[in-house]
Amino acid sequence: MGIAPGRLPPGSLNAITDVAGVRVGHTTLVQGEGQLVPGVGPIRTGVTAVLPHAGDLFLDKVVGVVHSINGFGEVTGAAQVAEMGVLEGPVMITNSLNVACVVDAVIDWAQAHNPAMGVTTWGISPIVAECSDMYLNDIRGKHVRAEHVIAAIEGAREGSVEEGCVGAGTGMSCYGFKGGVGTSSRVVPAEAGGYTVGVLVVSNFGNRERLTIDGVPVGHLLVGWPETAAVEPTSASSLARPGRAVEPARPQGGSIIIILATDVPLSERQLGRLAKRAAHGLARTGSFAGTTSGDFVIAFTTANHVVHEGPDLTYPMTCITESWQIINPLFEAVVEATEEAVLNSLFRAQTVVGRDNHVRYALPLERVVEIMHQYGHTHVKLP
Amino acid sequence: MGIAPGRLPPGSLNAITDVAGVRVGHTTLVQGEGQLVPGVGPIRTGVTAVLPHAGDLFLDKVVGVVHSINGFGEVTGAAQVAEMGVLEGPVMITNSLNVACVVDAVIDWAQAHNPAMGVTTWGISPIVAECSDMYLNDIRGKHVRAEHVIAAIEGAREGSVEEGCVGAGTGMSCYGFKGGVGTSSRVVPAEAGGYTVGVLVVSNFGNRERLTIDGVPVGHLLVGWPETAAVEPTSASSLARPGRAVEPARPQGGSIIIILATDVPLSERQLGRLAKRAAHGLARTGSFAGTTSGDFVIAFTTANHVVHEGPDLTYPMTCITESWQIINPLFEAVVEATEEAVLNSLFRAQTVVGRDNHVRYALPLERVVEIMHQYGHTHVKLP
Amino acid sequence: MGIAPGRLPPGSLNAITDVAGVRVGHTTLVQGEGQLVPGVGPIRTGVTAVLPHAGDLFLDKVVGVVHSINGFGEVTGAAQVAEMGVLEGPVMITNSLNVACVVDAVIDWAQAHNPAMGVTTWGISPIVAECSDMYLNDIRGKHVRAEHVIAAIEGAREGSVEEGCVGAGTGMSCYGFKGGVGTSSRVVPAEAGGYTVGVLVVSNFGNRERLTIDGVPVGHLLVGWPETAAVEPTSASSLARPGRAVEPARPQGGSIIIILATDVPLSERQLGRLAKRAAHGLARTGSFAGTTSGDFVIAFTTANHVVHEGPDLTYPMTCITESWQIINPLFEAVVEATEEAVLNSLFRAQTVVGRDNHVRYALPLERVVEIMHQYGHTHVKLP
Amino acid sequence: MGIAPGRLPPGSLNAITDVAGVRVGHTTLVQGEGQLVPGVGPIRTGVTAVLPHAGDLFLDKVVGVVHSINGFGEVTGAAQVAEMGVLEGPVMITNSLNVACVVDAVIDWAQAHNPAMGVTTWGISPIVAECSDMYLNDIRGKHVRAEHVIAAIEGAREGSVEEGCVGAGTGMSCYGFKGGVGTSSRVVPAEAGGYTVGVLVVSNFGNRERLTIDGVPVGHLLVGWPETAAVEPTSASSLARPGRAVEPARPQGGSIIIILATDVPLSERQLGRLAKRAAHGLARTGSFAGTTSGDFVIAFTTANHVVHEGPDLTYPMTCITESWQIINPLFEAVVEATEEAVLNSLFRAQTVVGRDNHVRYALPLERVVEIMHQYGHTHVKLP
């Protein structure tokens, strides 16, 4: 659409997978319509896996951190990441009530690949983050099962990333519109190392009134939209039909999970500095980190690996020089990629009808383009 | 035995339940013997529940904190406690691979008691901590089931607390001996408020060589014990028999979960100050917080309640005056009760034979008494 | 100018002093011109004091927190604030090399008012924050003296607050323009308590290219401005004259000190939640928190007082209910007031010529208005 | 005396200077007797400098962390250490009211050695920690001057370290006895790298009743000592004479500054893990970290250097493998060296008479030996 916040160029895919080796997999669960029957449906949920590399993540760990912007939510395994500074498995996102299932499935999957785990060495402490899709999904049904988790992990691929209503984003809402998965990337100039920063979000937060797109108060002008809804569904079973009740934007926000990947060589402290800048990008879209919003950043770098119980006394780590010429562009890259990933989660989502015929409308892109033009962003156009 | 570290008196039960209203429940699972058959047994595990009060913990929350001494482990729900400063459910402890099951069971139990949860208000983020009992237990079998969790919660009682090889402590080891559940309490002088501090631990850590009992280097003198083991089992199926192989103390430590309860009126910050002093008590028993030890303090005060989405604009909190005359005795109480709870977890445990005939001996109390005498603690005697 | 980010109304002064009782005092030091003679001048510096109330701050403390957005800088006394949760003196801001002098002066001033301090009770640990004004000021000269500190404290007043090139802001730069002191406030709706949030900043950070005013990329369009500078100085000795060399924006940013005051009853934890949202407002102006930027939030509430070594066993604290209806507007107020305070620090500053004829231009307001109009903000006009 | 807590051997000096390159310098100020005349004396104070290496610390920084055990006190520069992970100057300790003076003196000293500082690059943010020696010293007199600071830095030397009533320890008290400077070291086994951990403390905390020496409750048995004091002073002007009033131990504790040096290659995170274990050693001596005690650990490793604004894009760091075999002995070394450094600060101090004839007695070593024998430590003997 011509909306690319900031000054740095994206990678070739404009996705977290621009960081070499990173893989993303989704399992999307959409089934049933109409009245909520707990345990049966309607189902609008899923699970998303982000893998730092294609190898054995337990034996070949990557430097990682978890940063809490607002801790009203859960990221399992975060204490151990804080203590040890590494991720030792896939990063998983799902709905709030399926966290336990995903934890168990990741443990089982990891044990299957590492027979020594829990026998002669420690077990994995899985990283599972969550948002609540209870507005659209039969969340109490816990419809994500172990096989869905395995499918997301095993199906994770490099290359372009599906966005919008997929994986963990299937039932999520953002700024009173349909949200979900969004991704973006930035590449810093060659003199700052030419490194890549990639972000993938599952967005499920925000008051519509505050939605800001590249500085333009779009949300403010869409309060009350659509007054006379005549929205055309864009796919068969799960989308809105004219005449259905439109739910007001949930006022208290929900959550956002931000996965930050990079190929910059960073110590844990340095990676933590990058992770904190994600909040700056988030803020630019209109977030004030509402009280019940679980806003977390899970970050890793593929440039520093740590061998599991390495045989040597020491191991080498490479760190970036923290002069402003070198690290500031990386901070900017995080801000820009996060801002754009949130916007992409809105731009790529479609209207969804869920449990009890709850409707979450896609952001009306035509109207957005009009507003952007009205605010001087005349280069913006429909995709 | 006459071992009571410190200068403050215990409460009448010398238990966490000396804090009025606090309840403890255990489900203990012991089944099978001999060779490990994953998924079958032998089973030496369990689950322990600590409830801050008898009411609805979600609607009537208590001020709480989670403090990490060494974060190699998991306490689910900790991020939300840090953000909101309250516990809104029972505090659960189990083995490392049953965390997910316990999380799920607590959610189901809480939802059954709070139909609005996850429908018109947020869901519970359960607090579940863990230690690994893999040396004695078929941990991969995940033998703790939802009904065991419910039984521990529903069966929680005020009054005296079972210690040793019960609940989450069933399969745990401490300083190379059989550990498990231990509890203790301290009462501060009337001029400092007459408040009670209670501690319950599940101990599963430590190098035998460093075990220190009231300052005496007992562990150092028990290295290699028993050379010619002729230990009499104290109960039928699960205990050691002469001739069985004695495993050397696992050197890297495991974990310790410390539950700290009090009736002192404290803000979250003040409670956090108390929680940090638990490490001082732990250190006095010989801990150096080994690298793979998940050492956590989960603390709450029963003196400040927070109503779920309270109807009023504000709510009152009572804080303790932080002059040295008033708060220092509370710090001492935490140090002393923690030190003694760890010791009690050893004194009350019995020798256990677990998977693959692994034996974990109870601390040899007769020998301990001898050593204590040798080091001038002549008042110590067998219980 | 009609630029008022957000949706909430300001207080009557649109200043931190809208929070009843809060006082602000500045001492501004401007002297000399031309070549830098270390120890002599030119002097473009000062000191600013913010007092939570008019009483004895040591005996009658207020709940306070210090939050680090990027810790490349110094806020003295921060460890004690973190431990004890109170401010017990004035909040001071000055240049980076005068921190020690201000600490000493505050201690002397406090001891003069509290003879028991350091004799029968503990001494004050002053809160002094800093930014570097070395581009315009003879910073090595440490020209702020004890009498200037006392003058700022004793001269602190309620009512309207001087902004721009005053006090600690005298020599500061922001987004490549002249920065300094800015303030703003917001009032939340009556149903959320009608509370006031006030912010005062000393701004000294930012890349010009990223300056964003109410969403409009103003800085990007002012890169290189003024190519043919013909700026009229607005006061005699210290301002720019045509023909003087224009320094390019310092690329690595500097620092920002954000003082957040409120009359909301908050615990330390709750106040910390508000303080963290200041970063969201800062981010909206274009900050990415550059590596060498010392970005700190010093926050206090006037609604919860703590008596020094209070005679009673306990003291009451009032807390805000953290439902979204009540606390989210407060978060928004912090975001909005911070964003506007930064902008006001630019709008109210004048062009300054400092050491070695370094020139820091005021933001060219006419040009800003043109750009705002170009971006649809047609209501903006010159003040 | 034969008191060497733990199992690891000390380095050849049993001092922080066993870490190669580390230098310690003291300036000791003792002048006047009798009645306190503020600004005149009696003076019982000083300043201590610990230098990580002999080179330019600003250009050749070392990895460092500051850890707060109880934050009732000040360590200037700590925020920047947390952000950047390095120390870039000497570590200074002095009395509480001389912090500002020492900060200024370090800045001046550093600028004299680095002309670019504050001109074309950032200035130093000095690390200055403090304890209050107000019981013995005219602390309001601020008798430490810039020349004393420079003398401590410039006079810092490798080799054996003066302990007891020297430097910043001159006027300090510990467990109701005369405290001050203490140091110790430990060497881990060759298979764990053969690394050295050194600790230097300035001790000024603790309730006499709780003093524990290698597990023995010595303090408890010395409460009330000396009832009929007939103490022989061990040097002329500053020591106790029979008949002088004996002040009861100040009950609320004071502070302890712990400097931890090592040659282990560690990242900032890993160094932070070591630093946290100092509290375990401290706890073993009887500390509960009293409410008004400023207990801080300032740690650095000489094995990882960071060049100031290094010219290269990246720099290498070496990290220790965190398997239990390798890192646990380092944790033990920290615990043991800290415990012994605190004890040495007592063993090496002499009785001091200070302002208003306040007397702080040295620990009565003969009596201590008797008690140690009584508690089975029969190898202990007078030095």
Side-chain angles (χ1 to χ4, degrees):
Chain A
M1 295 178 66
I3 297 174
R7 69 176 186 90
L8 296 169
S12 62
L13 300 165
N14 194 19
I16 195 172
T17 45
D18 284 318
V19 179
V22 173
R23 288 157 179 252
V24 177
H26 299 299
T27 301
T28 304
L29 302 174
V30 175
Q31 196 181 310
E33 287 188 59
Q35 200 62 32
L36 172 69
V37 184
V40 175
I43 303 173
R44 304 284 183 277
T45 196
V47 58
T48 292
V50 178
L51 280 64
H53 62 70
D56 187 312
L57 292 161
F58 188 70
L59 299 182
D60 184 15
K61 308 172 200 290
V62 294
V63 166
V65 303
V66 176
H67 172 65
S68 167
I69 299 173
N70 190 59
F72 199 99
E74 176 70 309
V75 179
T76 65
Q80 192 163 320
V81 174
E83 190 66 44
M84 301 304 282
V86 289
L87 303 186
E88 49 185 30
V91 179
M92 308 299 299
I93 318 175
T94 189
N95 75 62
S96 307
L97 292 189
N98 265 125
V99 168
C101 163
V102 177
V103 165
D104 253 0
V106 170
I107 288 173
D108 291 345
W109 174 83
Q111 286 180 348
H113 288 76
N114 298 275
M117 197 181 276
V119 176
T120 61
T121 192
W122 66 77
I124 189 175
S125 196
I127 310 294
V128 184
E130 50 73 43
C131 304
S132 171
D133 50 20
M134 68 185 237
Y135 181 65
L136 295 172
N137 179 46
D138 167 29
I139 191 169
R140 285 202 180 195
K142 300 178 187 173
H143 295 284
V144 175
R145 314 277 189 222
E147 64 263 29
H148 305 132
V149 177
I150 307 300
I153 297 173
E154 302 275 353
R157 290 288 175 271
E158 300 188 60
S160 66
V161 173
E162 264 194 291
E163 294 172 273
C165 309
V166 294
T170 304
M172 304 300 174
S173 304
C174 187
Y175 287 115
F177 293 103
K178 186 67 191 69
V181 173
T183 190
S184 184
S185 70
R186 289 294 183 275
V187 178
V188 299
E191 60 269 27
Y195 298 111
T196 299
V197 169
V199 170
L200 181 145
V201 304
V202 172
S203 71
N204 192 45
F205 73 99
N207 292 22
R208 183 184 288 189
E209 186 179 0
R210 297 195 76 97
L211 170 61
T212 306
I213 297 182
D214 208 4
V216 175
V218 169
H220 183 71
L221 298 172
L222 291 176
V223 171
W225 181 92
E227 293 135 78
T228 58
V231 180
E232 278 308 306
T234 58
S235 88
S237 73
S238 67
L239 301 186
R241 274 177 292 230
R244 285 185 169 170
V246 178
E247 171 80 352
R250 281 180 66 228
Q252 75 264 47
S255 297
I256 182 165
I257 304 302
I258 301 171
I259 315 290
L260 172 63
T262 188
D263 55 7
V264 186
L266 299 164
S267 73
E268 311 86 315
R269 177 187 57 77
Q270 295 179 321
L271 182 60
R273 300 188 80 199
L274 263 69
K276 283 193 196 170
R277 270 66 185 179
H280 287 68
L282 186 60
R284 295 179 69 89
T285 69
S287 165
F288 54 83
T291 184
T292 55
S293 196
D295 299 355
F296 293 94
V297 186
I298 304 167
F300 60 84
T301 170
T302 60
N304 277 314
H305 290 228
V306 180
V307 177
H308 180 70
E309 301 205 279
D312 300 322
L313 198 61
T314 64
Y315 63 93
M317 184 174 278
T318 305
C319 300
I320 199 82
T321 295
E322 285 168 283
S323 64
W324 63 264
Q325 298 94 329
I326 294 172
I327 201 166
N328 277 3
L330 294 169
F331 291 167
E332 292 181 84
V334 173
V335 174
E336 295 182 5
T338 305
E339 181 176 357
E340 186 168 330
V342 172
L343 298 180
N344 285 343
S345 78
L346 288 161
F347 296 162
R348 303 289 156 73
Q350 296 174 314
T351 299
V352 170
V353 182
R355 71 162 240 233
D356 296 324
N357 290 324
H358 285 176
V359 181
R360 191 64 78 200
Y361 284 99
L363 189 67
L365 296 186
E366 282 195 34
R367 188 75 189 92
V368 169
V369 170
E370 282 172 29
I371 295 170
M372 296 302 287
H373 287 186
Q374 179 183 343
Y375 277 85
H377 293 249
T378 50
H379 62 290
V380 173
K381 58 182 193 304
L382 278 178
Chain B
M1 295 178 65
I3 297 175
R7 67 176 188 90
L8 297 169
S12 61
L13 300 165
N14 193 20
I16 195 171
T17 45
D18 284 318
V19 179
V22 173
R23 291 159 177 250
V24 177
H26 298 300
T27 301
T28 305
L29 302 174
V30 176
Q31 197 181 306
E33 287 188 60
Q35 200 62 31
L36 173 68
V37 183
V40 176
I43 303 173
R44 303 286 183 275
T45 196
V47 59
T48 292
V50 178
L51 279 63
H53 62 70
D56 186 313
L57 293 161
F58 188 72
L59 299 180
D60 185 15
K61 309 172 201 291
V62 295
V63 167
V65 303
V66 176
H67 172 64
S68 167
I69 298 173
N70 191 57
F72 200 98
E74 175 70 311
V75 179
T76 66
Q80 192 163 320
V81 175
E83 190 67 43
M84 302 305 281
V86 289
L87 302 186
E88 50 184 30
V91 179
M92 308 300 298
I93 316 175
T94 191
N95 75 62
S96 307
L97 292 189
N98 266 124
V99 168
C101 163
V102 178
V103 165
D104 252 359
V106 170
I107 289 174
D108 290 346
W109 173 82
Q111 286 180 351
H113 289 76
N114 299 275
M117 196 180 278
V119 177
T120 62
T121 191
W122 67 76
I124 189 176
S125 195
I127 311 292
V128 184
E130 49 74 40
C131 304
S132 171
D133 51 18
M134 68 185 237
Y135 181 66
L136 295 172
N137 179 45
D138 167 28
I139 193 170
R140 285 201 179 195
K142 300 179 187 172
H143 295 284
V144 175
R145 314 275 188 224
E147 63 265 28
H148 305 133
V149 177
I150 307 300
I153 297 173
E154 302 276 353
R157 291 288 176 269
E158 299 188 61
S160 66
V161 173
E162 264 194 291
E163 295 172 274
C165 309
V166 293
T170 304
M172 304 299 174
S173 304
C174 187
Y175 287 115
F177 294 104
K178 186 68 191 71
V181 173
T183 189
S184 183
S185 70
R186 288 293 183 276
V187 178
V188 299
E191 60 269 26
Y195 298 112
T196 300
V197 170
V199 170
L200 180 144
V201 304
V202 172
S203 70
N204 193 46
F205 72 99
N207 292 22
R208 184 184 288 189
E209 185 178 0
R210 297 195 76 96
L211 171 62
T212 305
I213 297 182
D214 209 4
V216 175
V218 170
H220 182 70
L221 299 171
L222 291 176
V223 170
W225 181 93
E227 291 136 80
T228 58
V231 180
E232 279 309 305
T234 58
S235 90
S237 74
S238 67
L239 300 186
R241 273 177 292 231
R244 285 186 169 173
V246 177
E247 171 80 351
R250 279 180 67 229
Q252 74 263 49
S255 296
I256 181 164
I257 305 302
I258 301 170
I259 315 289
L260 173 62
T262 188
D263 55 5
V264 186
L266 299 164
S267 72
E268 310 87 315
R269 176 186 58 76
Q270 295 179 320
L271 181 60
R273 299 188 81 200
L274 263 70
K276 282 193 199 170
R277 270 67 184 179
H280 288 68
L282 184 60
R284 295 179 68 90
T285 68
S287 165
F288 54 83
T291 183
T292 55
S293 196
D295 299 355
F296 293 95
V297 186
I298 304 167
F300 60 85
T301 170
T302 60
N304 278 314
H305 290 227
V306 180
V307 177
H308 181 70
E309 300 205 281
D312 300 321
L313 198 60
T314 65
Y315 64 93
M317 184 174 279
T318 305
C319 301
I320 199 80
T321 295
E322 285 167 282
S323 65
W324 63 264
Q325 298 94 328
I326 295 171
I327 200 166
N328 277 1
L330 295 168
F331 290 165
E332 292 181 84
V334 173
V335 174
E336 296 181 6
T338 304
E339 182 177 356
E340 187 168 331
V342 173
L343 299 180
N344 285 343
S345 77
L346 288 161
F347 295 161
R348 303 290 156 72
Q350 297 174 312
T351 298
V352 170
V353 182
R355 70 160 242 232
D356 296 325
N357 290 323
H358 285 177
V359 181
R360 192 63 80 198
Y361 284 99
L363 189 67
L365 296 186
E366 282 195 35
R367 187 75 191 91
V368 168
V369 170
E370 283 171 28
I371 296 170
M372 296 301 287
H373 286 187
Q374 179 183 343
Y375 278 85
H377 293 250
T378 50
H379 62 290
V380 173
K381 58 181 194 305
L382 279 178
Chain C
M1 296 179 64
I3 297 174
R7 68 176 186 90
L8 297 169
S12 61
L13 300 165
N14 193 21
I16 195 172
T17 45
D18 283 319
V19 179
V22 173
R23 290 158 179 252
V24 176
H26 298 300
T27 300
T28 304
L29 301 175
V30 176
Q31 196 182 307
E33 288 188 60
Q35 198 63 30
L36 172 69
V37 184
V40 176
I43 304 172
R44 304 285 183 276
T45 195
V47 57
T48 291
V50 178
L51 280 64
H53 62 69
D56 186 312
L57 292 161
F58 188 71
L59 300 180
D60 185 15
K61 308 172 201 291
V62 295
V63 167
V65 302
V66 176
H67 172 64
S68 166
I69 299 172
N70 191 58
F72 199 99
E74 176 69 310
V75 178
T76 66
Q80 192 162 320
V81 174
E83 190 67 44
M84 303 303 283
V86 289
L87 303 186
E88 49 185 30
V91 179
M92 308 300 299
I93 318 174
T94 190
N95 75 61
S96 307
L97 292 189
N98 266 125
V99 168
C101 163
V102 177
V103 165
D104 253 359
V106 170
I107 289 174
D108 291 345
W109 174 82
Q111 286 181 349
H113 287 76
N114 298 276
M117 195 181 278
V119 178
T120 61
T121 192
W122 66 76
I124 189 176
S125 196
I127 311 293
V128 184
E130 48 74 42
C131 304
S132 170
D133 50 18
M134 68 185 236
Y135 181 66
L136 295 173
N137 179 44
D138 168 27
I139 193 171
R140 285 203 179 192
K142 300 178 186 172
H143 294 285
V144 176
R145 314 275 188 224
E147 63 265 29
H148 305 133
V149 177
I150 307 301
I153 297 173
E154 302 277 353
R157 292 287 175 272
E158 300 188 60
S160 67
V161 173
E162 264 194 291
E163 295 173 274
C165 309
V166 293
T170 304
M172 304 300 173
S173 304
C174 188
Y175 287 115
F177 293 104
K178 187 67 193 70
V181 174
T183 190
S184 183
S185 70
R186 289 294 184 274
V187 178
V188 299
E191 61 269 26
Y195 299 112
T196 300
V197 169
V199 170
L200 180 143
V201 303
V202 172
S203 71
N204 193 45
F205 72 99
N207 292 20
R208 183 184 288 189
E209 185 179 1
R210 297 195 76 95
L211 171 61
T212 306
I213 297 182
D214 209 4
V216 175
V218 169
H220 183 71
L221 298 172
L222 290 175
V223 171
W225 180 92
E227 291 136 79
T228 58
V231 179
E232 278 309 304
T234 58
S235 89
S237 74
S238 66
L239 300 186
R241 274 177 291 231
R244 286 188 167 169
V246 178
E247 172 80 351
R250 280 180 68 228
Q252 75 263 47
S255 295
I256 181 164
I257 305 302
I258 301 171
I259 315 290
L260 173 63
T262 187
D263 56 6
V264 186
L266 299 164
S267 72
E268 311 86 315
R269 177 186 57 76
Q270 295 179 321
L271 181 60
R273 299 188 81 199
L274 263 68
K276 282 194 200 170
R277 270 66 184 180
H280 287 68
L282 185 60
R284 295 178 69 89
T285 68
S287 165
F288 54 83
T291 183
T292 56
S293 197
D295 299 355
F296 293 95
V297 186
I298 304 167
F300 60 84
T301 169
T302 60
N304 277 314
H305 290 226
V306 179
V307 177
H308 180 70
E309 300 205 280
D312 300 322
L313 199 61
T314 64
Y315 63 93
M317 185 174 277
T318 306
C319 300
I320 199 79
T321 296
E322 286 167 282
S323 65
W324 62 266
Q325 298 94 329
I326 294 171
I327 200 166
N328 277 2
L330 294 168
F331 290 166
E332 293 181 84
V334 173
V335 175
E336 295 182 4
T338 304
E339 182 177 358
E340 186 168 330
V342 172
L343 299 180
N344 285 342
S345 77
L346 288 162
F347 296 161
R348 301 291 156 71
Q350 295 173 315
T351 298
V352 170
V353 181
R355 71 162 240 232
D356 297 326
N357 289 324
H358 285 176
V359 182
R360 192 62 80 199
Y361 285 99
L363 189 67
L365 297 186
E366 281 196 36
R367 188 76 190 90
V368 168
V369 170
E370 283 171 28
I371 296 170
M372 297 300 287
H373 287 187
Q374 179 183 344
Y375 276 85
H377 293 250
T378 50
H379 61 289
V380 174
K381 60 181 191 305
L382 278 178
Chain D
M1 295 179 65
I3 297 174
R7 68 175 186 90
L8 296 170
S12 60
L13 300 165
N14 194 19
I16 195 172
T17 45
D18 284 318
V19 179
V22 173
R23 290 159 178 251
V24 176
H26 298 301
T27 301
T28 304
L29 302 174
V30 175
Q31 196 181 307
E33 288 189 58
Q35 199 63 32
L36 172 69
V37 184
V40 176
I43 303 172
R44 303 287 183 276
T45 196
V47 58
T48 292
V50 178
L51 279 64
H53 62 68
D56 186 312
L57 293 160
F58 189 71
L59 299 181
D60 185 16
K61 309 172 201 290
V62 294
V63 166
V65 303
V66 176
H67 172 64
S68 167
I69 299 172
N70 191 58
F72 199 98
E74 175 70 312
V75 179
T76 65
Q80 192 163 321
V81 175
E83 190 67 43
M84 303 303 283
V86 288
L87 304 186
E88 48 185 31
V91 179
M92 308 299 299
I93 317 175
T94 190
N95 75 62
S96 306
L97 292 189
N98 265 125
V99 168
C101 163
V102 178
V103 165
D104 252 0
V106 170
I107 289 173
D108 291 345
W109 174 81
Q111 286 180 351
H113 288 75
N114 298 275
M117 196 181 276
V119 177
T120 60
T121 192
W122 66 76
I124 189 175
S125 196
I127 310 295
V128 184
E130 49 74 42
C131 304
S132 171
D133 50 20
M134 68 184 237
Y135 181 65
L136 295 172
N137 179 46
D138 168 29
I139 192 170
R140 285 203 180 195
K142 300 178 187 171
H143 295 285
V144 176
R145 314 277 188 222
E147 62 265 28
H148 305 133
V149 177
I150 306 300
I153 297 173
E154 302 275 353
R157 292 285 174 273
E158 300 187 59
S160 67
V161 173
E162 266 194 290
E163 294 173 275
C165 309
V166 293
T170 304
M172 304 300 173
S173 304
C174 187
Y175 288 114
F177 294 104
K178 186 68 191 71
V181 173
T183 190
S184 184
S185 70
R186 288 294 183 275
V187 178
V188 299
E191 60 270 25
Y195 298 111
T196 299
V197 170
V199 169
L200 181 144
V201 304
V202 173
S203 71
N204 192 45
F205 72 99
N207 292 21
R208 183 185 288 188
E209 186 178 0
R210 296 196 77 96
L211 171 61
T212 306
I213 297 182
D214 208 4
V216 175
V218 170
H220 183 71
L221 299 172
L222 290 176
V223 170
W225 181 93
E227 291 135 81
T228 58
V231 179
E232 278 309 304
T234 57
S235 90
S237 73
S238 65
L239 300 186
R241 273 176 293 229
R244 288 190 165 168
V246 178
E247 171 80 352
R250 281 182 67 230
Q252 74 264 46
S255 295
I256 181 165
I257 304 302
I258 301 171
I259 314 291
L260 173 63
T262 189
D263 55 6
V264 187
L266 298 163
S267 74
E268 310 87 315
R269 177 187 57 75
Q270 295 179 321
L271 182 60
R273 300 187 81 199
L274 263 68
K276 282 193 200 170
R277 270 66 184 180
H280 287 68
L282 185 61
R284 294 178 70 89
T285 68
S287 166
F288 55 82
T291 183
T292 55
S293 196
D295 299 355
F296 293 94
V297 186
I298 304 167
F300 59 85
T301 171
T302 60
N304 278 314
H305 290 228
V306 180
V307 176
H308 180 70
E309 300 204 281
D312 300 322
L313 198 60
T314 64
Y315 64 92
M317 183 173 279
T318 306
C319 299
I320 199 80
T321 295
E322 286 168 284
S323 65
W324 64 265
Q325 298 95 327
I326 294 172
I327 200 166
N328 278 2
L330 294 169
F331 290 166
E332 292 181 83
V334 173
V335 175
E336 295 182 6
T338 304
E339 182 176 358
E340 186 169 329
V342 172
L343 299 180
N344 285 343
S345 77
L346 288 161
F347 296 161
R348 304 289 157 73
Q350 297 174 313
T351 299
V352 170
V353 183
R355 70 162 241 232
D356 297 324
N357 290 324
H358 285 177
V359 180
R360 192 64 80 200
Y361 284 99
L363 189 67
L365 297 187
E366 282 194 36
R367 188 77 190 92
V368 169
V369 170
E370 283 171 29
I371 297 170
M372 296 301 288
H373 288 187
Q374 179 182 342
Y375 276 86
H377 294 249
T378 50
H379 61 291
V380 173
K381 58 181 193 304
L382 278 178

